[in-house]
Amino acid sequence: MLPHAMSPHATRLPNKLMSAAVSRRRFLIGAAAAGTGLTVGFKALPLAADGGAATEAGNPFQSYVEIAGDGRVTVLSSQFEMGQGSYHGLATLVVEELDCDWNDVQVVGASGSLDVYGNLAWGGAAQGTGGSTSMATSWDRYRQAGATAKAMLKTAAAEAWGVPAEEIEAEAGVLRHAASGNESTYGALAAAAAAVAVPSDVALKTPEEWRQIGNPDVLRYDRVGKTNGTQDFTLDVQLPGMLTATMIHPPKFGAKLVSFDGEAAKAMPGVVEVVAVPRGIAVVAEDTWSAINATYAVEAEWDESEAETRGSAEILSEYRELAGQEPMALARDDGDVEAALAEADRVIEARYEFPFLAHAALEPLNAVAHMTEEGTLEVWGGHQIPGFYQYLSSQIAELPPERVKMHVLKTGGSFGRRAVGDGDVVAEAVSVAKALDWRAPVKVQWTRENDMRGGRYRPAYVHRLRAGLDADGRLIAWDNHIVGQSIVSGTPFEGLIQNGIDNTSVEGSSTLPYAIPNLRVGLTTTDVKVPVLWWRAVGSTHTAYATEVFLDEVAEAVGADPVQFRLDLLQDHPRHAEVLRLAAERAGWGEDLPEGHFHGVSVHESFASYVAQVAEVSVEDGQVRVHKVVCAVDCGVPINPDTIRAQMEGGIGFGLGSILQEELTLIAGEVDQGNYDGYRPLRISQMPEVEVVIVDSPASPTGVGEPGTPPIGPAVANAVYRATGRRVRELPFEKGLTT
């Protein structure tokens, strides 16, 4: 997913998107009539040039909450839903303060106003979902919207009934005044509420008054549609006269189309057109099957003179050589590492290798583009950064952005895949519709093979680590050299690179919490043409593994217990230490296990959430079996405990598959894997029992979509070492345990 540290001053997003940085604005809560209902949200007021009094922005009012005349409560979400539960989280904040009935609640994706929907965790520079920031950016705004709506409904009721507003009680979408016996639904009062003055300030509930936030019995409002198949996704979008296109992409990354012959394909039943677009060739048909079939009849010639022609084995071989050299830049340099290593009684050294990984989400990429008769371009999709895609679409369509409407739909997984700098499938949908002269709506539907071979992978990395121990067994030096591609280099997010450091390459290593007096983290960024992208938990997917497995090796070298060794180095990081203690205690660390079973432990912070995991593992005939994982998580105020547990379970399954058996390889620049037979996410039969312990924290809420993934790899690796005596330094385990 996107890094959480996006800064408007550190990016190179188009100026149009940057013009509304939150630092130059303040928010004013407001309300307006919506038909016979009420809509509540925030107006963004730009500061005057001198930073003084605010003036009206003049933008159309947009909202977070709408209450219709029939009582239906619609939460307009700034965060898109890819299965992680962001819609449910935002709805919980509104329901808590509004005191409405969950049965009346729906959540829809919203876009169109950076002022209203900009992600505050990114400085408001863009609307987007990523970096596990959905709750952090929504925590205040959506609670205030719910509380304001309720206050206005009470005021309307008080005026209608001639009673003091403070004597009116609200519960489950109904207002009651006990003394007078008056009672009314929110829907019946919504229109009147829209006409009352907007309160300048509303008091939010105290934690003691919460009935939704932190309630373990509140289950996801959208669970039924998600489990019985009635939930619609982009895959289900059908418009009158809509055509479907499938793509033929260059076989090698960086190759360019020279020419193609689509006549044989066009002669096939159902095929409408074969057109070239900037990202490849699109076969357009009346239905998906006809389009897919016809792609095999298209002959194309590609110019591969500037394409990536190396295989993954060659790329990693180059990385190994680079890892033994001096890094190009330093991300952290505490003390004097070289001097400490020279004086150390013992020096331990290890190298860890990580392959390319695919996102492999269940729903392959797709998007729909339609130019209306009025000249408005409408684009449907799982838009992870809708404002940016609106801008890209407007550029392709040669329209002003305000004439492009984005429909943000739920998507069947993403893990970061739907947030790309060139908009890939969104750009393709608009380009294909434009190539057809806008004569019909067009859905571009990627096949699984398009998805697997279309690039945007978790980069491959090599880590070289060295640790110095003094004569008393104290860890006095730590040196970590990371070699791999930058995710943001060459993209609109390139401004995130500071002093030669792409933080997405080093996060987790550069933020190592352990008290080591001499600590250095270096980075060598490589030039490879394989397209890479953020992948669930981004840099921590490899840094957590390298650092936590290596630390375990250091602990063993001094004969220390792995848990106590970590705790001794975490004096200044109490949240790390607390989750580590909780996981160890709940797992029975140090107690007897069934014969052949072994424990491994790790702790890691990512996206400001702290997670420790203890894995119980056995190894038989070279096959690793993870029986149980105890996971302790501190994500600040636990808004939805059931969702937190689900995300920890999902993150563990996602991470476990990646370390056990996932690997994307290339030969001569072409990807080997095309589907789930060759690229194998975790199978359901491999999923361990998971016990989640949630810290009852008063800290501001942070995310849970990603932080459950990084610790599972090192926890399992450390257990496997105890079972086999082998340190797995090359991933996946299928390779690392056999070579």
Side-chain angles (χ1 to χ4, degrees):
M1 298 186 181
L2 287 164
H4 72 309
M6 287 184 68
S7 160
H9 306 295
T11 62
R12 287 172 44 188
L13 291 170
N15 290 336
K16 190 72 174 179
L17 296 177
M18 299 295 295
S19 61
V22 166
S23 61
R24 294 291 302 154
R25 296 183 180 274
R26 70 174 189 176
F27 289 100
L28 177 68
I29 198 161
T36 59
L38 166 69
T39 179
V40 175
F42 292 86
K43 286 182 178 178
L45 301 180
L47 295 178
D50 60 359
T55 57
E56 276 290 343
N59 60 311
F61 190 81
Q62 291 181 281
S63 71
Y64 296 139
V65 183
E66 291 180 354
I67 303 173
D70 62 0
R72 172 66 65 179
V73 176
T74 301
V75 178
L76 292 99
S77 176
S78 68
Q79 302 294 290
F80 105 127
E81 174 64 59
M82 55 186 126
Q84 83 279 36
S86 61
Y87 277 15
H88 182 65
L90 268 64
T92 301
L93 304 180
V94 172
V95 173
E96 180 65 75
E97 295 293 341
L98 182 57
D99 283 319
C100 59
D101 190 328
W102 273 106
N103 292 320
D104 295 331
V105 173
Q106 65 176 354
V107 185
V108 298
S111 70
S113 172
L114 184 60
D115 295 344
V116 177
Y117 301 122
N119 189 320
L120 298 181
W122 301 350
Q127 182 188 353
T129 306
S132 295
T133 57
S134 291
M135 293 302 101
T137 187
S138 308
W139 176 239
D140 288 330
R141 291 190 291 186
Y142 281 84
R143 283 190 302 152
Q144 289 175 6
T148 300
K150 186 173 71 176
M152 295 175 71
L153 288 163
K154 282 188 172 182
T155 300
E159 292 177 354
W161 300 339
V163 301
E166 55 270 24
E167 294 180 2
I168 296 174
E169 299 294 329
E171 183 179 10
V174 177
L175 295 173
R176 296 185 179 88
H177 184 253
S180 66
N182 282 305
E183 178 177 307
S184 180
T185 65
Y186 284 4
L189 287 165
V196 306
V198 180
S200 59
D201 192 21
V202 292
L204 300 177
K205 291 181 179 178
T206 65
E208 292 74 22
E209 295 173 307
W210 289 342
R211 291 186 296 176
Q212 309 296 331
I213 296 172
N215 185 341
D217 297 324
V218 174
L219 304 180
R220 280 180 63 157
Y221 85 99
D222 58 350
R223 63 191 183 280
V224 175
K226 285 288 188 71
T227 51
N228 67 11
T230 57
Q231 174 66 57
D232 284 340
F233 300 90
T234 306
L235 195 69
D236 302 303
V237 172
Q238 292 293 331
L239 300 175
M242 187 179 77
L243 301 173
T244 301
T246 57
M247 294 298 302
I248 302 171
H249 293 126
K252 289 182 172 65
F253 300 116
K256 297 177 181 176
L257 180 64
V258 176
S259 63
F260 73 97
D261 182 352
E263 292 305 312
K266 287 173 65 175
M268 296 176 69
V271 177
V272 175
E273 190 58 88
V274 180
V275 296
V277 293
R279 291 173 45 84
I281 303 167
V283 177
V284 188
E286 295 171 352
D287 58 87
T288 307
W289 181 244
S290 298
I292 292 174
N293 262 347
T295 59
Y296 301 107
V298 176
E299 295 183 1
E301 181 183 355
W302 305 93
D303 176 3
E304 298 181 347
S305 60
E306 297 182 9
E308 178 59 67
T309 57
R310 289 172 291 181
S312 47
E314 296 165 86
I315 291 169
L316 281 168
S317 176
E318 293 176 17
Y319 286 12
R320 290 183 204 109
E321 184 174 345
L322 289 169
Q325 302 173 12
E326 290 297 312
M328 293 171 58
L330 294 180
R332 183 172 173 180
D333 192 13
D334 299 347
D336 189 336
V337 167
E338 289 300 338
L341 287 170
E343 296 171 0
D345 186 66
R346 277 184 292 170
V347 174
I348 302 169
E349 182 169 349
R351 188 181 67 219
Y352 298 89
E353 299 181 14
F354 303 87
F356 292 105
L357 294 175
H359 298 76
L362 189 60
E363 184 185 22
L365 293 189
N366 41 30
V368 179
H370 173 46
M371 184 70 79
T372 69
E373 293 181 357
E374 294 76 25
T376 296
L377 176 63
E378 299 193 43
V379 185
W380 289 258
H383 304 312
Q384 198 161 347
I385 40 178
F388 187 55
Y389 291 169
Q390 179 191 36
Y391 173 81
L392 290 175
S393 298
S394 74
Q395 296 296 296
I396 296 169
E398 300 178 90
L399 290 172
E402 55 268 24
R403 285 178 59 191
V404 179
K405 182 178 182 180
M406 308 302 289
H407 298 272
V408 184
L409 304 184
K410 290 182 179 178
T411 184
S414 174
F415 316 115
R417 181 62 185 85
R418 288 181 181 263
V420 291
D422 70 353
D424 54 22
V425 74
V426 174
E428 288 175 354
V430 177
S431 296
V432 174
K434 181 181 180 182
L436 298 179
D437 200 24
W438 310 111
R439 68 176 186 263
V442 174
K443 177 194 290 181
V444 171
Q445 178 62 59
W446 282 19
T447 63
R448 179 71 57 203
E449 286 73 16
N450 283 143
D451 217 41
M452 201 70 75
R453 293 173 175 150
R456 319 295 186 183
Y457 310 118
R458 198 290 301 274
Y461 289 100
V462 169
H463 285 240
R464 180 195 183 209
L465 282 129
R466 294 184 293 164
L469 295 163
D470 69 11
D472 296 323
R474 290 176 299 202
L475 181 55
I476 59 171
W478 181 277
D479 187 31
N480 185 179
H481 181 190
I482 302 168
V483 179
Q485 284 176 264
S486 165
I487 291 172
V488 300
S489 178
T491 77
F493 311 105
E494 188 168 2
L496 290 169
I497 298 175
Q498 298 290 305
N499 301 318
I501 297 294
D502 175 354
N503 191 55
T504 68
S505 298
V506 300
E507 60 184 352
S509 284
S510 61
T511 54
L512 198 71
Y514 300 117
I516 306 170
N518 305 285
L519 193 157
R520 182 171 63 187
V521 178
L523 174 66
T524 294
T525 298
T526 57
D527 183 13
V528 178
K529 294 178 181 176
V530 177
V532 292
L533 189 64
W534 19 71
W535 186 94
R536 192 175 188 172
V538 199
S540 290
T541 60
H542 56 97
T543 59
Y545 188 96
T547 57
E548 285 294 290
V549 174
F550 189 57
L551 190 74
D552 224 61
E553 189 167 344
V554 173
E556 186 201 28
V558 297
D561 175 82
V563 172
Q564 190 58 51
F565 189 72
R566 286 172 170 80
L567 290 173
D568 290 343
L569 295 172
L570 289 172
Q571 306 96 325
D572 298 328
H573 295 273
R575 296 178 77 179
H576 286 80
E578 182 177 12
V579 293
L580 179 58
R581 286 194 192 94
L582 278 173
E585 290 171 5
R586 191 64 67 92
W589 182 264
E591 299 175 5
D592 291 338
L593 291 172
E595 185 177 356
H597 288 211
F598 298 86
H599 270 158
V601 67
S602 72
V603 60
H604 190 76
E605 174 268 325
S606 57
F607 305 106
S609 289
Y610 304 80
V611 180
Q613 293 172 1
V614 175
E616 181 181 333
V617 171
S618 66
V619 182
E620 292 187 23
D621 300 326
Q623 298 298 309
V624 175
R625 175 71 186 274
V626 183
H627 299 273
K628 182 176 181 179
V629 178
V630 175
C631 172
V633 53
D634 177 356
C635 55
V637 173
I639 296 171
N640 296 117
D642 186 60
T643 299
I644 294 169
R645 278 193 293 273
Q647 285 303 301
M648 290 300 108
E649 292 168 354
I652 287 168
F654 193 83
L656 190 55
S658 73
I659 61 114
L660 290 180
Q661 59 210 30
E662 291 180 34
E663 178 184 26
L664 189 125
T665 58
L666 302 93
I667 296 176
E670 297 190 16
V671 175
D672 296 322
Q673 296 76 19
N675 213 312
Y676 288 145
D677 56 342
Y679 190 88
R680 297 181 297 119
L682 195 75
R683 284 3 187 193
I684 191 67
S685 60
Q686 296 175 283
M687 186 66 192
E689 175 189 356
V690 177
E691 178 182 352
V692 178
V693 184
I694 303 171
V695 175
D696 187 15
S697 172
S700 296
T702 49
V704 293
E706 299 168 86
T709 296
I712 187 60
V716 171
N718 292 333
V720 166
Y721 172 74
R722 287 171 183 81
T724 66
R726 295 197 61 171
R727 297 281 181 192
V728 181
R729 297 194 176 106
E730 182 181 6
L731 294 179
F733 277 42
E734 285 186 347
K735 179 180 290 183
L737 267 177
T738 58
T739 57

